[in-house]
Amino acid sequence: MKNKITLISIFYCILGTLIYFIDFEFLIKNNSEYVIHIFNFFSSIRFDFLLFENELEIPLAEEGSYRIIPLNSIIFTFVLLIGSLLYFISNEKKTRLLRLAMLFFFIAKSVHLFFLLFNITESIKTYTFLTLYYIFIDIFWLFLAYKALVYLNSLKELMPVEIEVPKPEIKTNSTERVSAREIMNQSLEKKAIQLPFEKASIGDRLLNYLFDTFFVILIFSPYIFGLAKSKEYRDSINELGSEIGENVLFLLFIALGRIIYYLLSEGIFHISPAKALTETQVYATSENKLNFTTITGRTFIRLIPFEAFSFFGKNGWHDELSNTTVLKNKQNLNTKIYSILFLLVIFIASIINGIWDKF
């Protein structure tokens, strides 16, 4: 499985990068558009940060003409490539970047497939074969990403920790009355499980929140602003924005994006892209196994105003109310620091390039 994941990832990265250097105008002039569709099988996911379009302009032989390359897609491809190489060289020990890229890819492709199906009524009438072809592409890559993530997650082990087992109380008087409150508390305690694993630190939870919020904006920004610019939905969105305010409307879209994001990641794999980075995972604290229904409740609890600040207490609300927690996997702390620094460097470089292009 290690060789399959590595080879497919590297093959996808190489062809996905070469696509940007193909002269599509030449193919169109020579009636070879089918070649474009064949190469689009390996097209990388495209994402953006709000309206911050970050592109590279490469001058061509013809004076005044440039080839536009989306830098964000190149960054994702680069992260996936580095993650795949580290995973292979370390003999499956360093999976942090690869799991992050794979899960990001899975969510982005799922959202793309949703919007493809959302507009299928019109597109399939005009381009029946092409519409089905691009649906097949998304399903194909989603299947491979799913299989890879299931395997990569199976390699992870939780961080064990010793727990103190309380000694049972011995009551000397068998006729002693027990209050209804004590009976209720005892029944609740039976449902809770004291897990022999280390919980994620406040620092890990903060990183998870910040990175996941950033990833949600990256994935959903193109679709939010794409809907706002489309002829079909522009008037409805503008009308709604004028009633509740543009800022509130944008926050509403982001909240919907967060729901989809966590249902696709934690609901299926029990981790989010940020949790892959910090080597943490969601786990049930009750006798019931963690399932999609539990994750759904946990996800909607996140929408409570100021819920993020609840983690400054003993437990966060979306943990406590859903009977879940976040536990640590066995990990290399140096790898964690280097991975975070690696991502920060390339993201900062991308932002600087985008700002430079504006001037």
Side-chain angles (χ1 to χ4, degrees):
M1 192 66 174
K2 179 184 75 171
N3 294 335
K4 290 180 181 179
I5 292 175
T6 306
L7 287 174
I8 292 174
S9 298
I10 293 176
F11 189 62
Y12 170 83
C13 290
I14 293 173
L15 290 182
T17 303
L18 290 177
I19 287 175
Y20 297 115
F21 298 94
I22 296 174
D23 192 347
F24 289 122
E25 292 183 4
F26 173 80
L27 294 175
I28 293 173
K29 289 177 181 178
N30 289 274
N31 297 320
S32 301
E33 293 92 340
Y34 66 92
V35 178
I36 299 174
H37 299 301
I38 292 174
F39 276 104
N40 279 339
F41 197 94
F42 301 94
S43 60
S44 180
I45 57 175
R46 304 190 71 168
F47 54 93
D48 200 359
F49 185 73
L50 303 178
L51 288 174
F52 189 75
E53 296 180 358
N54 199 356
E55 299 173 334
L56 289 175
E57 294 183 354
I58 300 177
L60 298 176
E62 185 179 348
E63 187 177 355
S65 60
Y66 296 87
R67 185 184 303 280
I68 305 299
I69 298 177
L71 184 59
N72 290 334
S73 296
I74 296 296
I75 288 175
F76 166 78
T77 305
F78 183 61
V79 173
L80 177 60
L81 179 62
I82 296 299
S84 302
L85 293 175
L86 287 174
Y87 164 73
F88 182 79
I89 294 171
S90 66
N91 196 22
E92 299 188 327
K93 293 180 181 178
K94 296 180 180 179
T95 62
R96 199 185 300 264
L97 285 178
L98 180 57
R99 284 207 304 163
L100 184 152
M102 282 285 187
L103 193 49
F104 190 94
F105 178 85
F106 182 86
I107 298 170
K109 278 290 184 184
S110 298
V111 175
H112 182 268
L113 178 61
F114 170 80
F115 278 94
L116 194 60
L117 295 174
F118 186 72
N119 296 314
I120 193 173
T121 305
E122 294 299 325
S123 60
I124 203 167
K125 291 179 181 178
T126 311
Y127 307 103
T128 304
F129 177 76
L130 282 180
T131 301
L132 296 175
Y133 171 70
Y134 281 105
I135 290 173
F136 167 75
I137 290 175
D138 281 349
I139 294 174
F140 174 81
W141 288 115
L142 281 172
F143 174 75
L144 290 186
Y146 172 81
K147 297 293 288 185
L149 283 165
V150 169
Y151 178 76
L152 292 172
N153 289 342
S154 69
L155 301 175
K156 310 310 295 183
E157 295 180 14
L158 292 172
M159 183 82 73
V161 65
E162 294 183 3
I163 60 173
E164 295 182 2
V165 180
K167 296 180 180 180
E169 296 182 3
I170 301 175
K171 295 184 178 182
T172 56
N173 187 0
S174 59
T175 60
E176 183 179 354
R177 293 182 178 180
V178 180
S179 65
R181 182 183 294 275
E182 289 178 347
I183 293 174
M184 185 176 66
N185 289 338
Q186 288 176 8
S187 64
L188 290 173
E189 288 174 0
K190 288 180 181 178
K191 292 182 181 179
I193 299 175
Q194 193 172 6
L195 300 171
F197 305 109
E198 187 173 345
K199 293 182 65 175
S201 65
I202 294 296
D204 287 330
R205 303 303 295 268
L206 179 61
L207 282 174
N208 289 344
Y209 177 78
L210 294 176
F211 273 102
D212 277 332
T213 301
F214 181 62
F215 292 149
V216 168
I217 296 174
L218 283 179
I219 291 173
F220 287 92
S221 284
Y223 300 101
I224 293 173
F225 292 105
L227 287 174
K229 294 177 181 179
S230 65
K231 295 180 180 179
E232 295 178 327
Y233 307 101
R234 181 172 52 204
D235 294 337
S236 300
I237 291 175
N238 289 338
E239 184 179 349
L240 182 60
S242 62
E243 291 180 2
I244 65 176
E246 292 183 359
N247 292 333
V248 176
L249 179 62
F250 177 74
L251 291 175
L252 187 63
F253 276 122
I254 292 298
L256 181 61
R258 283 172 63 86
I259 292 172
I260 298 171
Y261 177 88
Y262 284 113
L263 290 181
L264 287 171
S265 57
E266 292 186 354
I268 299 175
F269 304 104
H270 302 165
I271 61 170
S272 65
K275 289 180 179 64
L277 180 64
T278 59
E279 293 282 17
T280 54
Q281 70 178 75
V282 184
Y283 208 85
T285 57
S286 65
E287 294 177 352
N288 298 324
K289 290 185 178 181
L290 190 62
N291 53 39
F292 192 82
T293 304
T294 304
I295 294 298
T296 302
R298 172 185 168 89
T299 300
F300 277 93
I301 293 170
R302 293 177 185 270
L303 302 180
I304 299 174
F306 308 109
E307 189 276 335
F309 294 101
S310 65
F311 279 90
F312 289 103
K314 185 178 180 181
N315 291 309
W317 293 343
H318 71 258
D319 276 1
E320 191 169 353
L321 296 177
S322 63
N323 292 322
T324 59
T325 188
V326 177
L327 303 177
K328 284 187 176 182
N329 294 130
K330 291 181 179 179
Q331 56 184 290
N332 187 323
L333 293 178
N334 290 332
T335 305
K336 174 181 176 181
I337 295 172
Y338 292 146
S339 298
I340 293 174
L341 288 176
F342 170 74
L343 290 176
L344 288 176
V345 166
I346 60 175
F347 280 133
I348 290 172
S350 172
I351 292 171
I352 292 174
N353 178 76
I355 295 174
W356 184 265
D357 289 340
K358 299 293 181 182
F359 293 98

